[in-house]
Amino acid sequence: MEQEQKKRVFSAVQPTGSLTIGNYIGAIKNFIAMQDEYDCIYAVADLHSITVDIKPEILRKNVTDVTALFLAAGIDPEKSVFFVQSHVHEHAELTWILNCYTQFGEAKRMTQFKDKSKKAPENVNVGLFDYPSLMAADILLYQTDCVPVGKDQMQHVELARTIAERFNNRNGQTFRVPEGVLPKLGAKVQSLSNPSAKMSKSDVDPNSSILILDKPEDIVRKFRRAVTDSDSEIRYDPTNKPGVSNLLTIYSAFTGKDVKDCEKEFCGKDYAYLKAQVAEATAEGLRSTRENFERLSKQKDYLFSVMKTGAEKASYIARRTMSKVWRKLGFVRP
């Protein structure tokens, strides 16, 4: 009997700063778990990074560090295609074409565009506005079935679906229409200092985020300062107890325990005990990744070989899609 073809997964992470446990729980941890069940394609989204000001030397270092971090966490280049976005020129080519299938109003409604425009009104560039078309190209280029995303990115996947359907309706079946997939837990890890906001690697308050590469003592210190709630009961209630609920979410993600079981474990305990246990579980959960990163980040030749091989594999798939797109649109190809 012919083996059933695996569904294809695509996702990418921007190299615009140190990654947090929000990235780890909501993205990387799930990427690793998917490698055996799915045909996985993962990328470092460096083209997306230049919609904001970033120094060349910082971008170069971030791309290498994120590559090392993904490998350190457990992304296996033998199981998954892992590459750097700018190494596959078809991303930019398809973006221009999809621009012509994206309505102005659709791009204007993107929440991320609105938020970033407010944060940096002096740099509201066309690339920032066009960001969703590039993201759609990233996804559709690889005939993706599933896109693992956090809640804040689901809007982009929906737009990618709309663009794919519009293109297919006009030109015949060309792209697979992808589905956005939310992780069962930890889709949105909140800030430690402001539990009503998402934990972000770009937050100006260093105590708001736990970085994947933070030292254990720094993890303990940051959790000790985490905002909780006015009463003393430890229960999962994101609406009324966002701070405590966020700590329980993080603890659940790093221990593998159900949130309800975590509630029972901390019944009758105080917030100081909760914070100490969450810090210990987090530090231990990240230990192997930190140690592997220290080793891999020094092996530049190996990292570049992974990038090169991954780009070759990704390019093969991308070229096949682009050949179909050019033909459907009527472009003359040599």
Side-chain angles (χ1 to χ4, degrees), residues 23-87:
N23 301 117
Y24 183 81
I25 295 171
I28 298 173
K29 198 166 181 281
N30 295 294
F31 295 171
I32 297 165
M34 287 178 155
Q35 290 183 112
D36 291 322
E37 185 178 351
Y38 295 90
D39 176 15
C40 296
I41 301 177
Y42 299 130
V44 182
D46 55 341
L47 292 176
H48 287 285
S49 301
I50 61 171
T51 59
V52 297
D53 289 332
I54 184 168
K55 293 181 179 179
E57 61 272 20
I58 293 176
L59 179 58
R60 276 191 288 269
K61 182 179 186 304
N62 286 352
V63 167
T64 306
D65 283 353
V66 169
T67 299
L69 186 57
F70 266 63
L71 299 177
I75 296 298
D76 185 346
E78 296 298 320
K79 293 181 179 179
S80 303
V81 175
F82 181 81
F83 70 104
V84 177
Q85 183 188 30
S86 64
H87 295 177

Side-chain angles (χ1 to χ4, degrees), residues 296-324:
L296 288 170
S297 61
K298 299 171 185 176
Q299 299 177 16
K300 302 298 183 186
D301 289 344
Y302 171 67
L303 295 178
F304 292 143
S305 72
V306 169
M307 292 180 195
K308 182 176 183 293
T309 301
E312 289 170 352
K313 292 178 180 178
S315 293
Y316 174 76
I317 303 169
R319 284 196 301 271
R320 294 183 67 181
T321 297
M322 286 306 300
S323 177
K324 185 185 295 186

Side-chain angles (χ1 to χ4, degrees), residues 78-332:
E78 296 298 320
K79 293 181 179 179
S80 303
V81 175
F82 181 81
F83 70 104
V84 177
Q85 183 188 30
S86 64
H87 295 177
V88 180
H89 62 79
E90 285 84 0
H91 285 261
E93 292 178 11
L94 184 56
T95 298
W96 169 249
I97 291 171
L98 297 187
N99 280 338
C100 302
Y101 287 80
T102 306
Q103 298 301 304
F104 184 85
E106 292 170 339
K108 190 177 180 181
R109 284 194 294 272
M110 292 291 105
T111 302
Q112 195 168 49
F113 172 70
K114 295 177 182 178
D115 291 346
K116 288 192 175 182
S117 297
K118 289 178 182 177
K119 289 180 181 178
E122 74 287 350
N123 188 31
V124 184
N125 56 71
V126 175
L128 183 63
F129 182 77
D130 195 36
Y131 185 103
S133 292
L134 176 55
M135 185 175 287
D138 296 338
I139 297 166
L140 301 182
L141 192 57
Y142 297 100
Q143 303 297 344
T144 302
D145 295 297
C146 306
V147 187
V149 289
K151 292 178 181 177
D152 59 326
Q153 291 290 341
M154 188 61 77
Q155 187 185 31
H156 288 98
V157 179
E158 290 301 319
L159 180 59
R161 287 173 54 84
T162 298
I163 295 170
E165 289 169 347
R166 184 176 292 142
F167 190 99
N168 290 345
N169 288 337
R170 292 184 190 177
N171 304 291
Q173 184 61 37
T174 307
F175 300 114
R176 291 185 196 172
V177 180
E179 295 282 349
V181 179
L182 290 171
K184 293 179 180 178
L185 182 70
K188 197 171 184 180
V189 176
Q190 304 298 94
S191 163
L192 297 185
S193 56
N194 178 17
S196 64
K198 176 186 172 184
M199 183 178 287
S200 172
K201 57 190 175 185
S202 60
D203 199 309
V204 294
D205 179 3
N207 293 311
S208 68
S209 303
I210 303 293
L211 305 181
I212 297 174
L213 298 176
D214 270 345
K215 296 177 181 178
E217 57 268 29
D218 293 326
I219 292 174
V220 171
R221 174 178 53 79
K222 290 180 180 181
F223 273 118
R224 191 180 294 136
R225 297 178 180 180
V227 171
T228 48
D229 307 291
S230 55
D231 66 48
S232 59
E233 185 182 4
I234 297 175
R235 72 176 190 276
Y236 186 76
D237 183 353
T239 301
N240 299 305
K241 299 178 72 66
V244 168
S245 298
N246 190 40
L247 293 176
L248 288 172
T249 294
I250 295 168
Y251 186 74
S252 172
F254 280 108
T255 61
K257 299 177 182 178
D258 185 79
V259 171
K260 291 297 181 183
D261 292 331
C262 296
E263 282 184 317
K264 294 176 184 177
E265 181 179 339
F266 292 110
C267 181
K269 305 294 184 181
D270 60 22
Y271 287 160
Y273 180 80
L274 170 65
K275 291 178 180 181
Q277 293 303 110
V278 177
E280 182 180 334
T282 302
E284 179 58 27
L286 295 174
R287 179 176 57 81
S288 63
T289 298
R290 287 194 304 271
E291 292 174 354
N292 289 337
F293 177 84
E294 287 298 318
R295 173 176 54 82
L296 288 170
S297 61
K298 299 171 185 176
Q299 299 177 16
K300 302 298 183 186
D301 289 344
Y302 171 67
L303 295 178
F304 292 143
S305 72
V306 169
M307 292 180 195
K308 182 176 183 293
T309 301
E312 289 170 352
K313 292 178 180 178
S315 293
Y316 174 76
I317 303 169
R319 284 196 301 271
R320 294 183 67 181
T321 297
M322 286 306 300
S323 177
K324 185 185 295 186
V325 170
W326 292 127
R327 187 172 67 254
K328 290 287 183 71
L329 292 176
F331 284 93
V332 176

